[in-house]
Amino acid sequence: MSRTSNDWLLTPNGDPRGYIQPERLDELWFHTGTNCNLRCPFCLEGSKPGDNRIEFITFEDFLPLAKEALPLGLKRFSFTGGEPFVNPAMVQILDWALTHRPCLVLTNATEPLMNRMAEILAFADAPNALSFRVSLDFSDPERHDAGRGKGNFRKSLRTLGRLHEAGFSVSIARLQEDGEVPADADAAYSRYFAEAGLPEATRIARHHLGDTLHRCYCGGAHADVWCVEATYQCEYYLGCAPTPEAAAVAVATQLRAAGWVPTHARLEWFE
């Protein structure tokens, strides 16, 4: 990948940074920052209000990377957080991105999106389609609100309905539980889809905790589990807490198994 400067090859401490030289790219994901308006106990990253472990991506950060991705055959820009609409630059980023490719935003569809609804509705006429995937963890509003805050199930549902009415493609992401019958769990959302004016066939993305886990080398009781992200979630979900060194081994081993052996890779540890 070309750059006008080689600064990106180094970490802020001046250490060499590992990278992959792509030849083709279908989808480019941007992390908009770990700041979120909610404080969900099961968050994969521990995002919360005021959390700046991963700082807000700015339009100036986004633009050169986005431009570089286009000639690689890019089909879609996708955005996750944190909560993307907490980021002050999110609307500006989408304004540029939607002139070039379709976009997907993962969001909790509460106040940050609601407060910018007028700006977002303007994207209904953008050259490319904007899609939203909204977190509705459980079909029981009380269970959803237990993790995301009282009243947030209904807020997200109303926002889903408004976005669909404006012509945007919408889907939901839910938590999948051990022992459930997936079709039955999906069907339990039908009454809420009808309430919000959504199609009965609205897509449901199931997120099982195990989907984010790969092999864990912490030496704990779950050594047969894999971990993509070694953060406090290991302790929260599995009851074992790997050291930073063990976490680095887990990630490095996964990268090598995928056939990537960087000359140098710096792995950050977030408490």
Side-chain angles (χ1 to χ4, degrees):
M1 299 178 82
S2 61
R3 291 286 195 285
T4 56
S5 167
N6 285 330
D7 290 348
W8 70 280
L9 289 170
L10 303 176
T11 70
N13 294 330
D15 298 322
R17 188 193 301 276
Y19 69 96
I20 298 173
Q21 181 74 42
E23 297 180 358
R24 178 173 170 268
L25 188 64
D26 287 342
E27 184 173 18
L28 180 58
W29 280 86
F30 286 93
H31 198 302
T32 61
T34 46
N35 202 322
C36 184
N37 62 309
L38 304 182
R39 190 187 297 263
C40 305
F42 47 77
C43 179
L44 293 176
E45 301 179 356
S47 295
K48 57 187 179 295
D51 190 318
N52 293 312
R53 288 171 299 145
I54 298 177
E55 296 180 353
F56 285 141
I57 188 171
T58 66
F59 181 72
E60 291 72 24
D61 294 329
F62 161 81
L63 189 59
L65 298 170
K67 286 182 175 179
E68 195 167 345
L70 293 176
L72 295 174
L74 188 75
K75 298 176 182 177
R76 182 168 76 175
F77 293 112
S78 295
F79 303 88
T80 188
E83 166 53 44
F85 289 104
V86 171
N87 187 324
M90 193 64 218
V91 169
Q92 183 184 13
I93 288 171
L94 285 174
D95 187 48
W96 188 94
L98 286 166
T99 65
H100 297 277
R101 294 293 187 274
C103 294
L104 169 67
V105 181
L106 276 55
T107 174
N108 60 46
T110 60
E111 277 82 357
L113 191 158
M114 295 163 64
N115 292 339
R116 305 178 81 170
M117 184 64 79
E119 296 172 285
I120 292 165
L121 291 178
F123 292 136
D125 297 322
N128 288 284
L130 174 58
S131 302
F132 297 89
R133 184 174 301 160
V134 174
S135 299
L136 287 180
D137 300 321
F138 302 101
S139 58
D140 178 351
E142 290 188 5
R143 291 190 69 191
H144 174 92
D145 289 356
R148 293 185 180 266
K150 186 175 181 179
N152 279 328
F153 183 95
R154 294 290 177 183
K155 287 179 186 177
S156 298
L157 190 65
R158 287 194 297 271
T159 303
L160 272 164
R162 191 170 184 189
L163 292 170
H164 170 71
E165 184 180 22
F168 297 106
S169 174
V170 297
S171 60
I172 72 163
R174 72 169 181 86
L175 294 182
Q176 183 173 353
E177 300 183 276
D178 290 336
E180 71 169 39
V181 178
D184 292 345
D186 288 350
Y189 284 87
S190 296
R191 57 177 290 198
Y192 298 108
F193 290 167
E195 178 183 322
L198 301 177
E200 186 176 357
T202 295
R203 185 187 172 198
I204 299 175
R206 305 181 193 123
H207 173 70
H208 192 282
L209 296 181
D211 291 344
T212 62
L213 300 177
H214 290 265
R215 185 164 315 266
C216 176
Y217 291 90
C218 66
H222 299 272
D224 60 335
V225 179
W226 285 31
C227 297
V228 167
E229 286 188 300
T231 60
Y232 78 90
Q233 289 82 2
C234 293
E235 183 172 11
Y236 184 84
Y237 291 131
L238 303 178
C240 56
T243 64
E245 292 77 13
V249 170
V251 176
T253 301
Q254 183 188 348
L255 291 173
R256 293 192 188 99
W260 178 44
V261 183
T263 56
H264 184 92
R266 180 180 177 84
L267 297 170
E268 302 288 348
W269 175 262
F270 298 123
E271 292 293 345

